[in-house]
Amino acid sequence: MTENTQQQPAANPELPTQYAPAEVEGKLYERWVERGYFEADAKSEKPAYTIVIPPPNVTGSLHLGHAFQHTLMDALTRRKRMQGYESLWLPGMDHAGIATQNKVEQQLAEEGKSRHDLGREEFVDRVWQWKEEYGGKILGQMRRLGDGVDWSRERFTMDEGLSKAVQTIFKKLYDDELIYRAERIINWCPRCLTAISDIEVEYQDDAGELVSIKYGEGEDTLVVATTRAETMLGDTAVAVHPDDERYAHLIGKQIKLPLTDRTIPVVADTHVDPEFGTGAVKVTPAHDPNDFAIGQRHDLPSLTVMDEHGVITVHGPFLGLDRFEARSTIVGALREQGRIVAEKRPYMHSVGHCSRCKTTVEPRLSMQWWVKVGPLAQAAGDAVRDGRVKIHPQEMEKRYFDWVDNMHDWCISRQLWWGHRIPIWYGPDGEVVCVGPDEQPPSGEGWTQDSDVLDTWFSSGLWPFSTLGWPEKTPDLEKFYATDVLLTGHDIIFFWVARMMMFGLYAMDGVAPFHTIALTGLVRDEFGKKMSKSNPNAVDPLDWMDKYGSDAVRFTLAKGANPGADVPIGEDWVQASRNFANKIWNATRFAMMNGATIEGELPPTEQMTATDRWILSRLNSTVAQVDAYYEDYQFAKLSEALYHFAWDEVFDWYVELSKTTFFAGGEQAKVSGRVLGEVLDVLMRLLHPIVPFVTDTLWTTLTGRESLVIADWPKDSGFRDEAAEREIELVQQVVTEVRRFRSDQGLQPGQKVPARLTLTGTALAPHEAAIRQLLRLQPEGEGFAATATLPVAGAEVSLDLSGTIDVAAERKRLAKDLAAAEKEKAQANAKLGNEAFLAKAPDNVVDKIRGRLAKADEDIARIQAQLERLPQA
């Protein structure tokens, strides 16, 4: 079924009685790395398969979201490597501008210093020191998880090669007039002291206040409502709708702005909704994006009234007040003047917060650098529309198009010191020069470089090709671009996916950076709640790895990975996966002790038992099924398929059904031993990408070969034996039905019962010994009296229960259970027959009662059947 050319001396066939992940995983991973299994060769003639890792922040540590996505990416690359591809999974880290700068500034604050005490150059040196000492913690944790990445190609967004790529594409975009500088409203974080992009703003409902303020004097008055009274100091107009008759007489007039010595015009603008509030809105162009647009249309001045810290900078009585302090002070002053018409507290409204520090964002007029995204976003949308790039699952396309089709120009400048500095120089006479990576910056008196750095997502947007050596035409770039699949969370479609699409298509002559975008959901707790460090439900995956092993964590995450859907996970599930790893270990150990082998060719099918042919048929079906699921990124389904094939069909059925053959010995035992060896060989290969440690340990012991990492992926040989599958299905029916009956009668699993099996004339006859073994059925013997007979699968199983159960007591117990079930049914019927109750009860309550009725009917039928089967007392 499979081929493997690895030639190694046979390994010690003995395995420890118990699997201890902690004693295996670390040493085994280092062996894989030392032997270069994960290193890709750009000169190889094998077809390439490439995945670039979503670069974790240098400040980060492994959380369950990382572990989840890394498990899936590792599975994909391991399988492709086994299929004969030159498989490259490229690792690296993101410099994470704001987050990393904040870390170092916090460290300095503990020393009583700020970055300004050090100066820019010394501060950046300090960040590099921090990065070397603390950064990259997550990379060591990736090894714990078993990530099969090519460490020889590890990259960092601030390394020399990637910095050259950033400068190159900035210059190219600038020369193509796709980068420009302009004064616009941006999202400003008064804590981080930098601009942030729209997608770095998190909105939440905050309890604020809505105040209605009277503007103007005498007959020339109108009322505006605002949640940000402090910005009125920067008002330069009041706007009304041109068709609003209430204010027609005021349009074009100047009215008094309260608390100031200024007058401002009333302007007519169709942006104003006359049905909302009073139909009049204050216009503060320097502190609101909509107001800025109105100001542009009406040539209004823009007055900035707050500094970068959110402190008021104008008008004596309020000068120096924090924005929130100024808000209450200004409302108080307006109240004293009788200008507050109405107040509403609390007033719940959506407020933007910095995604990193949670500070309330301040819209602010600022001179910044921008990317003109129109043509880039159009290309990113077209690549998906014309099929060059596929989004999986397909229903996620809508979210992608909603973003790229409505994208605003991207503010790329950040007022930080850590990051890629913008390669623009300003001259003494107003010159502006963009410098490429191989060009000398202008020198001489009066020339200065722009002090801002680029948005972190600018450099990470180049990741699929900058990591392969672009802008140089490297062998890596030629071999491994475009990458095959981007596997990432649907939550960063906007942050990262769209940016890579835009830059990849632009820089690489229209070749998209990946063929498929496979989107995953987010990891949640077992109750479906979002995990957060601030909540008690947050889990450190390393704790679970220490307790249960990395394979258990990986398998649990893969079993929950339905495309695009969130992934619930709980410790009980990880424990169950640990049990699965132990089951694989124990069953394989038993199999090897009883003759399982891969030596020699598979015997011809005519020498095999029906059980042998059945398991080989099921094995090939499973190979085909797993392959199909992999191609569709159905990790949950392929994990479930492997789990049930391994635990149910191989270990619980095939091994158990074959025990009589193994115990009997002889030629038939050798045939079944070779079949079992084949099944375990293929099963370990199929499981390896998801649970690499336990499978590699078992497989190398079973086969004596070097490693599963470089073994061949199994192929479906096409062998199917429907007759054998039907035959074993009959055996399973008999065993399952009799086991159910035994359980219903209160018999212990190991309790032996005399029985007569009437199997003549059925396909079950050859399996009598196995059936008796599985069901603990003794030969009928002298004095046998059939007290219960079960017709099943065309055969009969007669049991003598006279010496095993107290029939009278059992009838009494069942009668009591039957009475309880009938009472439950009567109560449910009474409620469902009550029209008044049905009219008032919520749908979920009615559905619950219907469920109780159905359950009662099932219980009654089951108990009555048990009573009928009992022998007469």
Side-chain angles (χ1 to χ4, degrees):
M1 180 175 289
T2 59
E3 294 181 2
N4 192 297
T5 58
Q6 304 173 67
Q7 296 298 323
Q8 292 291 320
N12 186 340
E14 294 185 1
L15 287 167
T17 55
Q18 292 184 325
Y19 177 51
E23 297 176 12
V24 171
E25 293 176 349
K27 295 175 185 176
L28 185 53
Y29 184 82
E30 292 309 316
R31 190 183 312 146
W32 292 337
V33 173
E34 288 166 7
R35 293 179 177 178
Y37 292 159
F38 305 134
E39 293 180 15
D41 182 2
K43 298 178 182 178
S44 168
E45 294 183 0
K46 297 178 182 178
Y49 183 82
T50 316
I51 293 181
V52 290
I53 203 167
N57 289 350
V58 69
T59 59
S61 60
L62 192 75
H63 57 65
L64 275 173
H66 288 125
F68 169 54
Q69 292 179 357
H70 287 208
T71 294
L72 306 188
M73 286 184 277
D74 195 31
L76 290 172
T77 49
R78 283 178 183 270
R79 173 174 175 262
K80 285 296 182 179
R81 187 178 294 111
M82 294 173 76
Q83 286 183 312
Y85 286 79
E86 198 62 36
S87 189
L88 170 62
W89 185 19
L90 195 149
M93 293 181 295
D94 193 297
H95 67 279
I98 294 177
T100 308
Q101 179 158 321
N102 282 346
K103 287 281 187 183
V104 178
E105 289 197 74
Q106 290 168 13
Q107 194 178 62
L108 287 173
E110 293 172 2
E111 302 170 12
K113 298 177 183 177
S114 75
R115 60 179 164 130
H116 300 286
D117 294 324
L118 273 64
R120 183 168 192 146
E121 187 174 341
E122 189 177 342
F123 176 78
V124 171
D125 287 343
R126 181 71 176 260
V127 181
W128 276 107
Q129 292 171 22
W130 184 93
K131 184 260 181 186
E132 293 304 316
E133 186 173 354
Y134 299 103
K137 178 182 178 183
I138 196 171
L139 298 180
Q141 295 168 339
M142 286 164 56
R143 303 172 93 93
R144 282 288 314 277
L145 188 65
D147 283 7
V149 295
D150 185 346
W151 292 109
S152 71
R153 285 178 165 85
E154 181 188 337
R155 304 304 300 269
F156 179 52
T157 50
M158 288 281 286
D159 68 29
E160 183 179 352
L162 269 65
S163 296
K164 181 177 181 180
V166 168
Q167 197 171 352
T168 299
I169 202 162
F170 187 100
K171 170 75 170 173
K172 180 173 171 62
L173 288 162
Y174 182 86
D175 290 346
D176 288 346
E177 298 183 349
L178 292 173
I179 281 183
Y180 64 94
R181 192 174 187 232
E183 189 176 45
R184 292 186 179 176
I185 293 285
I186 48 90
N187 303 298
W188 181 265
C189 177
R191 159 63 184 81
C192 298
L193 297 180
T194 181
I196 58 177
S197 66
D198 291 344
I199 53 179
E200 293 169 302
V201 178
E202 295 177 347
Y203 287 91
Q204 66 184 47
D205 286 341
D206 286 358
E209 61 181 355
L210 180 68
V211 293
S212 298
I213 308 168
K214 182 170 67 175
Y215 279 36
E217 302 286 354
E219 293 183 359
D220 294 343
T221 62
L222 39 67
V223 175
V224 301
T226 182
T227 58
R228 306 185 67 224
E230 70 278 12
T231 63
M232 69 169 291
L233 301 176
D235 285 359
T236 55
V238 172
V240 298
H241 195 277
D243 299 331
D244 194 333
E245 296 180 358
R246 292 172 295 175
Y247 305 117
H249 66 291
L250 290 176
I251 294 173
K253 284 189 176 184
Q254 296 281 327
I255 61 170
K256 180 76 169 61
L257 178 64
L259 304 182
T260 73
D261 57 3
R262 292 192 291 117
T263 60
I264 56 176
V266 177
V267 299
D269 197 283
T270 55
H271 170 75
V272 179
D273 180 0
E275 302 298 323
F276 184 77
T278 63
V281 297
K282 59 192 286 300
V283 182
T284 319
H287 293 279
D288 183 275
N290 294 322
D291 293 2
F292 179 77
I294 294 174
Q296 293 286 96
R297 289 194 288 272
H298 297 277
D299 199 24
L300 299 173
S302 297
L303 302 181
T304 300
V305 297
M306 275 180 256
D307 68 10
E308 60 185 6
H309 298 280
V311 173
I312 301 298
T313 58
V314 298
H315 204 69
F318 313 110
L319 184 66
L321 295 180
D322 172 79
R323 53 187 170 155
F324 300 118
E325 186 182 7
R327 182 178 299 171
S328 59
T329 305
I330 288 171
V331 170
L334 290 167
R335 192 182 295 113
E336 286 180 7
Q337 293 186 7
R339 289 189 173 273
I340 299 295
V341 176
E343 297 180 66
K344 185 176 180 180
R345 294 189 186 89
Y347 178 73
M348 301 303 297
H349 62 132
S350 182
V351 178
H353 297 261
C354 174
S355 62
R356 290 179 177 83
C357 70
K358 311 309 176 188
T359 300
T360 300
V361 167
E362 189 63 43
R364 188 167 188 257
L365 186 63
S366 180
M367 184 68 76
Q368 301 285 344
W369 285 95
W370 304 80
V371 171
K372 187 184 296 181
V373 299
L376 303 175
Q378 176 71 42
D382 289 347
V384 174
R385 287 189 173 92
D386 63 23
R388 279 176 289 157
V389 176
K390 297 188 183 305
I391 293 180
H392 187 86
Q394 192 173 0
E395 55 265 27
M396 286 286 178
E397 283 185 1
K398 183 180 184 302
R399 293 187 65 178
Y400 177 80
F401 290 133
D402 284 346
W403 179 248
V404 297
D405 292 346
N406 299 286
M407 197 182 297
H408 301 296
D409 282 3
W410 173 18
C411 177
I412 56 171
S413 46
R414 297 291 181 267
Q415 289 64 55
L416 304 170
W417 287 354
W418 172 245
H420 296 280
R421 196 162 174 182
I422 290 177
I424 294 288
W425 269 256
Y426 304 106
D429 299 318
E431 302 96 330
V432 178
V433 175
C434 180
V435 178
D438 301 318
E439 300 171 353
Q440 287 296 321
S443 58
E445 187 176 348
W447 283 94
T448 59
Q449 186 178 357
D450 195 299
S451 61
D452 289 350
V453 300
L454 288 162
D455 178 11
T456 292
W457 298 102
F458 190 95
S459 52
S460 59
L462 313 180
W463 191 252
F465 51 95
S466 64
T467 52
L468 298 173
W470 187 90
E472 307 300 328
K473 293 183 178 179
T474 64
D476 275 4
L477 192 65
E478 183 178 353
K479 176 74 174 178
F480 296 112
Y481 188 90
T483 69
D484 287 85
V485 60
L486 172 71
L487 191 145
T488 191
H490 60 64
D491 56 322
I492 59 171
I493 290 177
F494 324 123
F495 288 94
W496 193 46
V497 178
R499 312 245 187 262
M500 287 190 290
M501 285 287 284
M502 292 192 301
F503 281 166
L505 290 160
Y506 174 74
M508 300 300 293
D509 300 320
V511 179
F514 17 75
H515 304 307
T516 301
I517 301 169
L519 297 171
T520 70
L522 308 179
V523 177
R524 298 185 178 274
D525 71 12
E526 58 194 302
F527 306 107
K529 293 181 179 178
K530 182 179 180 181
M531 287 190 177
S532 168
K533 291 181 180 178
S534 60
N535 292 334
N537 67 351
V539 172
D540 183 346
L542 293 174
D543 291 342
W544 281 352
M545 288 185 216
D546 290 340
K547 195 170 182 180
Y548 303 112
S550 297
D551 282 335
V553 174
R554 290 170 62 114
F555 193 69
T556 305
L557 291 165
K559 278 185 74 176
N562 290 298
D566 288 346
V567 183
I569 185 172
E571 187 168 0
D572 288 350
W573 305 343
V574 183
Q575 187 172 354
S577 294
R578 189 271 313 272
N579 295 343
F580 179 52
N582 287 343
K583 181 75 171 181
I584 298 170
W585 182 272
N586 294 333
T588 303
R589 185 172 177 274
F590 170 85
M592 292 172 63
M593 291 170 59
N594 285 275
T597 180
I598 65 161
E599 292 181 10
E601 296 295 323
L602 268 177
T605 55
E606 55 267 21
Q607 294 180 17
M608 297 179 185
T609 66
T611 309
D612 294 335
R613 298 194 304 277
W614 164 74
I615 198 62
L616 289 176
S617 183
R618 292 296 307 128
L619 177 66
N620 278 283
S621 294
T622 301
V623 171
Q625 190 178 36
V626 167
D627 277 335
Y629 286 145
Y630 261 115
E631 295 306 313
D632 200 32
Y633 304 98
Q634 296 279 0
F635 295 97
K637 289 182 178 179
L638 73 88
S639 298
E640 284 289 341
L642 286 170
Y643 176 88
H644 289 295
F645 175 70
W647 193 307
D648 300 344
E649 296 186 294
V650 178
F651 303 141
D652 278 0
W653 284 109
Y654 179 72
V655 170
E656 293 298 322
L657 286 171
S658 299
K659 277 183 178 178
T660 53
T661 301
F662 290 134
F663 295 162
E667 289 303 313
Q668 194 60 63
K670 292 180 181 179
V671 170
S672 293
R674 180 63 187 89
V675 169
L676 180 53
E678 180 76 7
V679 171
L680 291 174
D681 175 17
V682 174
L683 177 60
M684 295 306 159
R685 296 173 195 248
L686 291 172
L687 281 166
H688 177 73
I690 304 291
V691 284
F693 295 107
V694 68
T695 52
D696 197 49
T697 305
L698 292 171
W699 186 84
T700 52
T701 305
L702 171 69
T703 66
R705 293 173 179 167
E706 185 178 345
S707 176
L708 262 178
V709 180
I710 52 173
D712 294 336
W713 182 253
K715 295 178 181 177
D716 174 12
S717 69
F719 174 77
R720 301 291 190 277
D721 192 325
E722 294 181 3
E725 291 200 32
R726 287 195 300 270
E727 186 170 322
I728 301 305
E729 283 174 10
L730 293 176
V731 175
Q732 291 172 327
Q733 286 178 33
V734 171
V735 173
T736 301
E737 185 63 27
V738 176
R739 278 178 174 167
R740 184 182 296 116
F741 176 76
R742 287 176 56 109
S743 176
D744 289 344
Q745 305 312 312
L747 297 176
Q748 295 300 314
Q751 190 172 353
K752 294 182 178 180
V753 178
R756 176 188 300 134
L757 274 60
T758 307
L759 308 177
T760 308
T762 72
L764 295 167
H767 304 282
E768 179 169 352
I771 291 171
R772 285 187 177 276
Q773 171 72 22
L774 288 168
L775 291 171
R776 305 296 189 267
L777 301 180
Q778 294 178 318
E780 50 193 279
E782 188 176 345
F784 176 83
T787 58
T789 299
L790 283 71
V792 57
E796 281 188 351
V797 179
S798 300
L799 305 173
D800 182 354
L801 304 178
S802 56
T804 58
I805 61 171
D806 184 336
V807 175
E810 187 64 14
R811 281 190 175 278
K812 186 176 181 181
R813 182 185 70 81
L814 290 173
K816 184 178 177 181
D817 291 347
L818 182 61
E822 288 173 338
K823 181 180 179 181
E824 174 75 0
K825 177 178 180 178
Q827 289 175 342
N829 273 326
K831 285 189 176 181
L832 294 174
N834 186 333
E835 294 296 333
F837 170 78
L838 293 176
K840 294 179 181 179
D843 289 346
N844 65 316
V845 173
V846 176
D847 288 343
K848 188 174 181 180
I849 293 170
R850 286 182 178 138
R852 284 169 49 193
L853 176 61
K855 175 69 166 52
D857 282 334
E858 289 176 8
D859 289 343
I860 290 168
R862 176 179 54 80
I863 295 167
Q864 287 175 338
Q866 289 176 240
L867 284 166
E868 290 172 5
R869 287 172 177 170
L870 276 176
Q872 295 302 313

